[in-house]
Amino acid sequence: MSSRYTFGGDEHIFVEVDEEMSLEAFFVSLSMTNAVRNANIKGVTEICPANASFQIKFDPDVIHPDDMMKELKRLEAQAEQGENVLETRIIEVPVYYQDPWTYDTLMRFRERHQDPSATDIEYAASINGYDSVEKFIEAHSGAPWFVSMVGFVSGLPFLYQMVDRSRQIQVPKYLRPRTDTPRQTVGYGGSFSCIYSVRGAGGYQMFGITPMPIYDPEQSVPYLKDFMVFFKPGDIVRFKPINREEYDAAIAQVQAGEYMPRIRNVRFSLSEFNADMDGTNAKLMEALYDR
């Protein structure tokens, strides 16, 4: 794929990696922003990665815009010659699907939904050809997800499922946005899942909720003491379905300061994944559960 570079005023360069969302595009965007960060280019003041694009802010008094452009193209050429391998981590995120809190919320906004007679997850299952919500949950939680970006709302991860495109879930957002979404809701819009880091407005379909804190400005959660945002681009996530009893137990651990997510360090190769998606995903699950 060939990136497109555009100046945005005197201090910004916007780079579109690809017009289509794909794991390859996310990987290139992540590799490029990491390369810019590691190069320590004098004058670069901000690096903002997105799904299939990124933006660089720079000081034109330190580095001329034309020189900044040359540096980016040089780094892109180097990245194209390198191996698409990422040292990252795989994380288990428990999800209480069809929970009472997102249900109460979605019922207050049925007039803004494509199918007011169905819940969000019932609608998603129907339009994706699943004959039951249970089978849809199996598909949603059955393969891992790649964190393509973190942002829009502080700490909110966007996740793209690591399956062949023919198996990807597609669900439109609400017809009109809601004015309320519970914190830590697991949502879905287009081809992306997300986890709402804070309570607020939203338009993604609501499938469930996780007891696992992912954003803590107070930094009172033990695993968020060093950095208030949990997710990073390039993280790999496995959604684990849980029931109400398991959810309540996890919440009790969170409140006691004892909850720790299951995390394992892994090496992810994009070429190996493309050659054998299911086999690569199975190895990731083995790493997560130390099988």
Side-chain angles (χ1 to χ4, degrees):
M1 58 187 65
S2 180
S3 301
R4 295 195 299 178
Y5 294 78
T6 307
F7 283 110
D10 297 330
E11 300 180 343
H12 297 87
I13 294 179
F14 175 76
V15 183
E16 182 184 62
V17 174
D18 199 3
E19 292 182 354
E20 293 188 4
M21 301 296 180
S22 68
L23 196 59
E24 288 78 8
F26 305 151
F27 214 94
V28 171
S29 177
L30 179 60
S31 297
M32 280 292 295
T33 51
N34 285 341
V36 173
R37 187 175 295 108
N38 294 336
N40 294 316
I41 302 169
K42 290 184 178 180
V44 171
T45 58
E46 190 171 346
I47 303 169
C48 183
N51 286 321
S53 62
F54 61 93
Q55 182 170 275
I56 303 296
K57 184 179 181 182
F58 61 96
D59 184 346
D61 292 331
V62 177
I63 182 169
H64 191 277
D66 291 341
D67 292 333
M68 185 72 248
M69 183 75 79
K70 289 177 183 177
E71 280 293 304
L72 290 177
K73 291 184 177 181
R74 180 184 65 82
L75 291 172
E76 181 182 30
Q78 289 181 352
E80 289 175 350
Q81 296 172 4
E83 187 180 5
N84 287 329
V85 173
L86 181 67
E87 299 294 336
T88 186
R89 55 186 186 165
I90 184 167
I91 304 150
E92 180 188 84
V93 176
V95 181
Y96 181 15
Y97 289 93
Q98 303 187 91
D99 66 280
W101 304 283
T102 58
Y103 177 80
D104 287 346
T105 303
L106 67 87
M107 291 304 293
R108 290 191 280 120
F109 296 98
R110 285 299 84 192
E111 80 285 354
R112 306 185 184 201
H113 196 270
Q114 291 86 347
D115 185 356
S117 65
T119 64
D120 292 6
I121 201 166
E122 288 170 346
Y123 169 70
S126 175
I127 66 172
N128 281 276
Y130 293 94
D131 57 16
S132 70
V133 168
E134 288 72 26
K135 288 184 178 180
F136 177 81
I137 292 173
E138 288 178 7
H140 188 265
S141 61
W145 298 75
F146 186 88
V147 177
S148 58
M149 67 172 282
V150 179
F152 183 71
V153 174
S154 296
L156 184 151
F158 289 87
L159 306 99
Y160 190 82
Q161 196 166 30
M162 297 165 59
V163 295
D164 185 79
R165 287 196 177 192
S166 63
R167 293 164 53 193
Q168 283 180 344
I169 297 167
Q170 297 286 332
V171 191
K173 296 190 293 185
Y174 273 46
L175 296 174
R176 289 186 293 127
R178 301 178 302 274
T179 56
D180 190 21
T181 308
R183 183 171 66 97
Q184 293 165 204
T185 289
V186 176
Y188 207 98
S191 57
F192 288 93
S193 196
C194 80
I195 304 173
Y196 283 81
S197 52
V198 297
R199 182 176 182 177
Y204 276 27
Q205 309 284 341
M206 296 183 289
F207 293 167
I209 199 165
T210 178
M212 176 180 155
I214 64 169
Y215 174 64
D216 181 22
E218 304 299 324
Q219 294 181 271
S220 60
V221 176
Y223 59 86
L224 294 175
K225 285 191 178 297
D226 294 331
F227 195 61
M228 68 179 70
V229 173
F230 178 73
F231 286 108
K232 299 180 290 187
D235 280 342
I236 297 172
V237 170
R238 189 261 163 149
F239 290 128
K240 178 187 177 182
I242 60 173
N243 57 30
R244 176 62 186 267
E245 182 179 356
E246 292 169 314
Y247 176 86
D248 288 344
I251 288 294
Q253 286 185 311
V254 170
Q255 293 173 343
E258 299 171 352
Y259 183 86
M260 291 295 293
R262 177 181 286 269
I263 304 171
R264 296 292 185 270
N265 294 324
V266 292
R267 178 183 183 273
F268 176 75
S269 166
L270 183 60
S271 59
E272 291 177 5
F273 173 78
N274 286 332
D276 184 5
M277 294 184 183
D278 290 339
T280 300
N281 287 343
K283 290 179 181 178
L284 289 170
M285 293 303 101
E286 289 175 1
L288 180 61
Y289 296 109
D290 297 323
R291 289 198 289 263

